[in-house]
């Protein structure tokens, strides 16, 4: 009886301890801070909130080596105020924005744990392009329409060639003995949207260079604004199609090409920060990027003359590489985990969003500002975009990828970069 009583007593203590432990495991510091005075005193709640904030800062700010570049943002502001050297201000601003763009993508990925795969893919594409859109709005306020056009074009080229190429190449090296597969139907839909965007950019350019406008100088602008509104409607329909009709497009495919179930590795993945922490970090990073973008845009022309680099190369190559830091990290990471559909959604999805939403949105914003921004991106830029979309569409039509396809896309981007390094943007007199 004594041993039975001792055993029952021990069982009762073990059950009580295990239930208490489970209760503490379920209640994270973030949730404990929300509880307020009920589990303890108000002082304890404030301590929990402080410890939660410290933990969040440690995870977001001090967990990535790329964040060592963050101090260059304040350095750029100091250089601007002390010396006014545009070349160094541009360089330091570029370095300072790079980790911010990557952390913006990290916060988006954390938020995607709470929103689901499809909405998470859209969030990745949206906030991955936030840097380019912020820079474009600042450039529009400064009247630098060509910088806006070329930076948005460069973002499309960078996503389709460099980001997707690095994802294919990295995934192909990890899975050298097999071909990775992705949802071919989703790739076809995105390729069609990209071709529609090319059509929207091509017609105003052809109209301009054939001198076949009904009203010289006005028909081209009117067509651009009308086409922008149509493209925005098409993008809204595309969002509805993604969210309602194709809710499983980010589910990884197996080797037979059919959706596979979640693996044990997926079950082990969990968010590192809470939902509202992700939202707060998104707001903080976006605000800081917007602040630094003002210095970056103001220094573009000075950096071009100081370093003897064409503005076209800065706008098309350098700015998008910084802005696409989030897409680079996300696409490569998912490709190395054999989740190529998510990599494709981030890279091609970002290109689709910039072409079908970002460019028309800037045209409408410029229209509201009273600026004459149109969809005539000039003949050279439009031809580069058209050929790039064709190359990517041909590589995606099989629904498979390997490291060689990735290498082809990367080398194609090298050719594009070299082309813009020797390209001189035509002046107004040359355009006539």
């Amino acid at each position: 009886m004594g041993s039975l009583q001792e055993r029952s007593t021990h069982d009762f203590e073990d059950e009580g301890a295990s239930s208490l432990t489970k209760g503490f495991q379920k209640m994270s510091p973030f949730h404990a801070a929300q509880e307020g005075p009920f589990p303890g005193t108000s002082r304890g709640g404030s301590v929990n909130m402080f410890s939660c904030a410290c933990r969040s800062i440690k995870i977001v700010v001090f967990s990535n080596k790329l964040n060592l570049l963050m101090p260059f943002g304040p350095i750029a502001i100091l250089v601007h105020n002390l010396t006014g050297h545009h070349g160094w201000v541009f360089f330091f601003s570029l370095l300072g924005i790079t980790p911010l763009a990557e952390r913006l993508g990290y916060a988006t990925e954390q938020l995607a744990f709470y929103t689901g795969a499809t909405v998470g893919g859209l969030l990745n594409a949206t906030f991955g392009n936030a840097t380019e859109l912020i820079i474009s709005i600042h450039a529009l306020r400064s009247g630098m329409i060509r910088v806006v056009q070329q930076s948005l074009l460069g973002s499309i080229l960078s996503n389709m060639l460099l980001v997707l190429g690095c994802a294919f190449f990295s995934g192909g090296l990890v899975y050298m003995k097999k071909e990775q597969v992705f949802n071919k139907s989703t790739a076809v839909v995105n390729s069609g949207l990209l071709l529609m965007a090319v059509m929207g950019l091509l017609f105003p350019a052809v109209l301009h260079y054939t001198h076949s406008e009904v009203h010289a100088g006005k028909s081209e602008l009117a067509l651009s604004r009308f086409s922008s509104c149509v493209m925005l409607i098409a993008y809204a329909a595309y969002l509805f199609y993604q969210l309602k009709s194709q809710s499983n497009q980010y589910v990884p495919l197996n080797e037979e090409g059919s959706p596979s179930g979640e693996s044990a590795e997926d079950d082990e993945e969990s968010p590192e920060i809470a939902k509202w922490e992700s939202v707060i970090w998104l707001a903080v990073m976006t605000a800081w990027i917007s602040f630094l973008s003002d210095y970056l845009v103001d220094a573009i022309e000075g950096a071009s003359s100081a370093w003897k680099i064409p503005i076209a190369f800065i706008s098309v190559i350098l700015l998008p590489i910084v802005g696409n830091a989030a897409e680079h990290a996300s696409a490569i990471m998912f490709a190395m985990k054999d989740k190529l559909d998510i990599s494709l959604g981030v890279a091609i999805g970002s290109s689709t969003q910039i072409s079908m939403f970002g460019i028309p949105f800037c045209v409408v914003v410029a229209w509201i500002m009273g600026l004459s921004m149109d969809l005539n991106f000039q003949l050279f830029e439009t031809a580069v975009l058209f050929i790039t979309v064709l190359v990517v569409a041909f590589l995606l039509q099989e629904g498979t990828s390997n490291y060689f396809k990735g290498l082809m896309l990367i080398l194609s981007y090298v050719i594009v970069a070299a082309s813009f390094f020797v390209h001189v943007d035509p002046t107004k007199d040359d355009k006539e």
Side-chain angles (χ1 to χ4, degrees), residues 27 31-46 48:
M27 186 169 59
H31 294 129
Q34 281 187 324
E35 290 291 335
F38 294 104
T41 62
S42 59
R43 181 180 178 184
S46 62
N48 285 331

Side-chain angles (χ1 to χ4, degrees), residues 88-162:
W88 289 113
V89 171
F90 177 81
F91 179 70
F92 290 141
S93 300
L94 210 61
L95 291 179
I97 290 177
T98 302
L100 297 176
E102 192 277 331
R103 290 288 89 182
L104 196 67
Y106 170 80
T108 307
E109 290 168 12
Q110 295 299 305
L111 187 60
F113 280 106
Y114 303 96
T115 59
T118 302
V119 178
L122 293 174
L123 285 174
N124 260 313
T126 302
F127 283 97
N129 293 324
T131 305
E132 292 94 326
L133 291 176
I134 291 171
I135 293 174
S136 299
I137 297 299
H138 280 283
L140 276 179
R141 288 172 53 192
S142 302
M144 303 169 68
I145 294 177
R146 284 297 290 162
V147 171
V148 175
Q149 291 178 330
Q150 291 174 339
S151 64
L152 293 175
L153 173 74
S155 179
I156 299 172
L157 299 175
S158 175
N159 276 302
M160 285 196 298
L161 296 178
L162 186 60

Side-chain angles (χ1 to χ4, degrees), residues 16 183 372:
N183 194 330
S372 300

Side-chain angles (χ1 to χ4, degrees), residues 46-84:
S46 62
V47 170
N48 285 331
M49 182 67 76
F50 178 75
S51 63
C52 178
C54 292
R55 178 185 60 84
S56 181
I57 293 173
K58 179 181 178 182
I59 293 173
V60 176
V61 179
F62 296 103
S63 64
N64 192 0
K65 294 180 180 179
L66 190 63
N67 291 345
L68 293 173
L69 298 177
M70 279 188 179
F72 284 105
I75 290 175
I77 299 174
L78 286 176
V79 172
H80 173 79
N81 293 329
L82 295 178
T83 65

Side-chain angles (χ1 to χ4, degrees), residues 360-382:
F361 176 75
C362 288
V363 171
V364 173
V365 170
W367 188 6
I368 296 173
M369 290 181 177
L371 299 174
S372 300
M373 177 179 174
D374 53 34
L375 294 179
N376 179 16
F377 277 38
Q378 307 306 325
L379 197 58
F380 180 79
E381 287 87 343
T382 307

